[in-house]
Amino acid sequence: MLDKTPITVARGDGIGPEIMDATLRILQAAGAQIDVETIDVGEAVYLSGNSAGITAAAWDSLRSTKVFLKAPITTPQGGGYKSLNVTIRKTLGLYANVRPCVAYAPFVPTHFPKMDVVIVRENEEDLYAGIEHRQTDEVFQCLKLITRPGCEKIMRYAFEYARAHGRRKVTCMTKDNIMKMTDGLFHKVFDEISAHYPDIKVEHYIIDIGTARLATRPELFDVIVTPNLYGDIISDVAAELTGSIGLGGSANIGEHVAMFEAIHGSAPDIAGRDLANPSGLLLAAVMMLVHIRQADVASKVHNAWLRAIEDGVHTADLAGEHTLQRVGTVGFGAAVVARLGQKPQHFNSVAYENADVAPKNRAPLYVRPPPAKKEVVGVDIFVHAPDVSPDYLAGLLSALSTPACKLQMITNRGVKVWPGGFPETFCTDHWRCRFMGQPVGAETRHVVSNHDIVELMQALAAKNVDVIKTENLCTFDGERGFALGQGQ
Ligand code: NAD
């Protein structure tokens, strides 16, 4: 007999308690060795004045069990309530969001009966860092942060997942034809890490054509790894293509903690009426059982669930021509329990193994290399200036250039407008003014010091130039660490 694994459970809002009860009843009947610690998160916690929706005691439980089975919660409208999911993901470092999207045709109607795709979405970075600023009257900014540790962690996870689950191909999707540095890093690290997994096929798609292919020929794909925003979008596209978003479960994996949940929300429209389908949460719980190394129980539950679906035992959301018995949440749970130990006849049965993709049993996900030699070779100064022409601004700033830093280029929304801009280019009140370090003596270039930048800023301040921010232009081991202007 296995030792019981403590898990933290949140019963959630709306249909949450009903689907959690059904799920836990099935796990218990299947012999899952779990010790449940229940916490309160969600609507009641928000409305008690806690804008994060989670209490200190709940954090303690999560940090002690490190495994979280979470029912959907209701985020109250307005009032500055923070998304609990984003808070939990970031606070606990849940860097990988894993969402299997599988068709269950003909029992769940879909145009893509052979679809079986797993989306591995980077879960902490990208535009979701939440670093946003209004910089001028006209311009708002959101910073897109992609890091090498973040890329290495998600790539290793995706390839380890593929291996552990007998998957043959990993597809990376980015937009690195446009975002050459950020998405370029994601793609580069994909290439680097994939070299350690010669048994797994790899390919890369630009996200736009990749999404189009996924939506029209999902059977082409196996595991997809992609940055946060694209992953957010394509994982809903993929789940919808399977025929029902109500069947999807997902895992949020971190180096210390993992969270498992259905992909749907709290469905207040059907709450308390024994109508909800518990399948999404149950399939998330199956992923949890694999994660806590109870693979045999996971297989037993999953096979019984497949058997119930193909036996035509369906909740209202799945009701169709293959429905033989229409049941509620409780009845569906009982149907799965009644089939524990049985194998599906139509679908392939599953047989999970205790192959561990949890980081604790692997090589470190990221080893920090020695720092590169970093040199500042210039500075971009962002300026707020309404109703000026590029030539006027260039004249003003050129005159303010210092011996160490000289105006080289001005762009507006990234497009070069000086020198040699086009009158057709629309300009906002937000200008990026690039000053480059100047050669001194026999040197071919000048490394810019903080002192040089301060001197330049003082010259601008003396003429009341409205500086928004500066961004240093660096080289790393001699390699340019900044993009050129469009048209430069
Ligand atoms: P929803 O997913 O709750 O519901 C969308 C539709 O799908 C509804 O018609 C609902 O009845 C149906 N549906 C959802 N799950 C079902 C199930 N298991 N069985 C049968 N039918 C099901 O999305 P929504 O209505 O946009 O959101 C409701 C609330 O859920 C909101 O407060 C939202 O913030 C929250 N939400 C929470 C999570 C989460 O906790 N992870 C995720 C998404 C939405």
Side-chain angles (χ1 to χ4, degrees):
M1 178 70 82
L2 281 169
D3 282 346
K4 289 197 170 183
T5 303
I7 65 164
T8 301
V9 162
R11 299 176 76 244
D13 302 313
I15 58 172
E18 297 165 71
I19 60 174
M20 184 58 84
D21 286 348
T23 297
L24 291 178
R25 223 170 285 137
I26 296 165
L27 297 197
Q28 208 165 29
Q33 296 302 306
I34 53 175
D35 245 346
V36 170
E37 254 180 59
T38 304
I39 58 168
D40 287 328
V41 294
E43 196 173 22
V45 182
Y46 281 121
L47 295 178
S48 74
N50 180 328
S51 67
I54 179 163
T55 62
W59 282 123
D60 288 346
S61 172
L62 290 174
R63 295 177 67 207
S64 121
T65 69
K66 305 187 191 317
V67 184
F68 187 19
L69 183 63
K70 174 177 162 290
I73 60 146
T74 301
T75 310
Q77 297 285 311
Y81 301 109
K82 298 276 181 208
S83 157
L84 180 64
N85 266 8
V86 175
T87 303
I88 291 176
R89 280 176 199 162
K90 286 193 172 176
T91 308
L92 298 177
L94 309 184
Y95 63 89
N97 184 297
V98 185
R99 188 183 285 192
C101 299
V102 185
Y104 300 101
F107 306 98
V108 179
T110 166
H111 295 300
F112 307 105
K114 292 195 164 42
M115 179 174 179
D116 183 0
V117 179
V118 180
I119 314 278
V120 178
R121 161 187 168 196
E122 197 293 317
N123 217 14
E124 292 184 289
E125 306 195 333
D126 195 0
L127 289 156
Y128 289 59
I131 305 175
E132 294 192 292
H133 300 93
R134 179 175 180 175
Q135 297 182 319
T136 69
D137 290 306
E138 295 173 351
V139 176
F140 297 71
Q141 171 187 272
C142 175
L143 280 187
K144 172 167 168 126
L145 297 179
I146 301 278
T147 72
R148 179 165 268 281
C151 292
E152 289 198 14
K153 278 160 53 174
I154 195 69
M155 294 312 168
R156 289 208 168 85
Y157 186 84
F159 281 97
E160 287 291 325
Y161 180 95
R163 229 181 221 172
H165 291 80
R167 301 264 171 181
R168 286 188 300 280
K169 185 170 73 173
V170 179
T171 304
C172 178
M173 292 196 192
T174 69
K175 188 78 182 170
D176 67 340
N177 54 332
I178 303 294
M179 283 158 281
K180 293 185 165 61
M181 298 199 66
T182 48
D183 282 20
L185 176 65
F186 197 87
H187 187 171
K188 183 170 178 232
V189 174
F190 173 74
D191 290 343
E192 287 171 13
I193 302 286
S194 66
H196 300 284
Y197 297 84
D199 48 317
I200 294 173
K201 279 203 273 182
V202 292
E203 62 185 4
H204 175 268
Y205 277 87
I206 299 295
I207 185 68
D208 36 12
I209 187 62
T211 308
R213 287 278 152 77
L214 177 68
T216 49
R217 297 178 64 192
E219 59 284 349
L220 291 177
F221 298 97
D222 195 345
V223 174
I224 298 175
V225 64
T226 189
N228 207 341
L229 176 62
Y230 314 140
D232 196 356
I233 297 165
I234 67 167
S235 56
D236 268 19
V237 171
E240 190 78 6
L241 291 178
T242 64
S244 172
I245 215 151
L247 297 182
S250 77
N252 292 269
I253 305 287
E255 285 183 75
H256 310 286
V257 179
M259 172 171 87
F260 302 85
E261 63 178 346
I263 64 179
H264 59 74
S266 58
D269 52 334
I270 56 168
R273 296 162 55 196
D274 193 34
L275 285 173
N277 185 348
S279 299
L281 186 61
L282 184 67
L283 293 178
V286 167
M287 294 167 84
M288 178 191 77
L289 289 169
V290 177
H291 176 80
I292 60 173
R293 301 178 64 79
Q294 298 190 24
D296 50 344
V297 190
S299 307
K300 196 171 172 184
V301 171
H302 201 156
N303 285 328
W305 178 82
L306 288 167
R307 185 65 188 257
I309 295 291
E310 65 180 31
D311 282 350
V313 185
H314 294 165
T315 42
D317 56 309
L318 299 186
E321 58 171 320
H322 291 275
T323 304
L324 298 176
Q325 193 188 345
R326 197 167 148 157
V327 289
T329 315
V330 175
F332 186 79
V336 175
V337 169
R339 286 165 178 76
L340 288 168
Q342 296 182 28
K343 295 270 166 68
Q345 306 291 297
H346 174 91
F347 296 121
N348 291 331
S349 64
V350 295
Y352 293 108
E353 284 174 23
N354 280 329
D356 196 348
V357 294
K360 61 182 185 303
N361 291 345
R362 284 212 315 267
L365 282 168
Y366 181 69
V367 178
R368 184 163 281 134
K373 180 167 188 244
K374 176 178 161 185
E375 291 180 325
V376 181
V377 295
V379 60
D380 277 346
I381 298 190
F382 290 76
V383 169
H384 179 180
D387 299 325
V388 294
S389 71
D391 285 345
Y392 171 83
L393 190 62
L396 175 70
L397 297 181
S398 291
L400 299 174
S401 291
T402 62
C405 296
K406 184 171 165 225
L407 183 70
Q408 184 203 47
M409 170 186 77
I410 300 178
T411 68
N412 197 292
R413 291 186 300 171
V415 180
K416 181 170 68 92
V417 293
W418 182 89
F422 282 25
E424 290 83 358
T425 306
F426 178 79
C427 290
T428 67
D429 56 0
H430 179 279
W431 309 85
R432 188 260 304 258
C433 309
R434 175 160 292 177
F435 290 82
M436 294 304 290
Q438 292 306 295
V440 180
E443 293 282 325
T444 53
R445 66 194 181 108
H446 174 62
V447 174
V448 175
S449 68
N450 280 345
H451 180 77
D452 295 332
I453 295 172
V454 168
E455 195 183 0
L456 180 59
M457 294 286 283
Q458 276 170 341
L460 297 180
K463 290 287 178 193
N464 292 321
V465 176
D466 184 352
V467 172
I468 302 160
K469 69 162 188 175
T470 64
E471 196 82 61
N472 288 355
L473 306 175
C474 304
T475 58
F476 292 82
D477 289 339
E479 194 179 312
R480 181 164 45 80
F482 50 93
L484 299 177
Q486 238 150 17
Q488 188 183 7

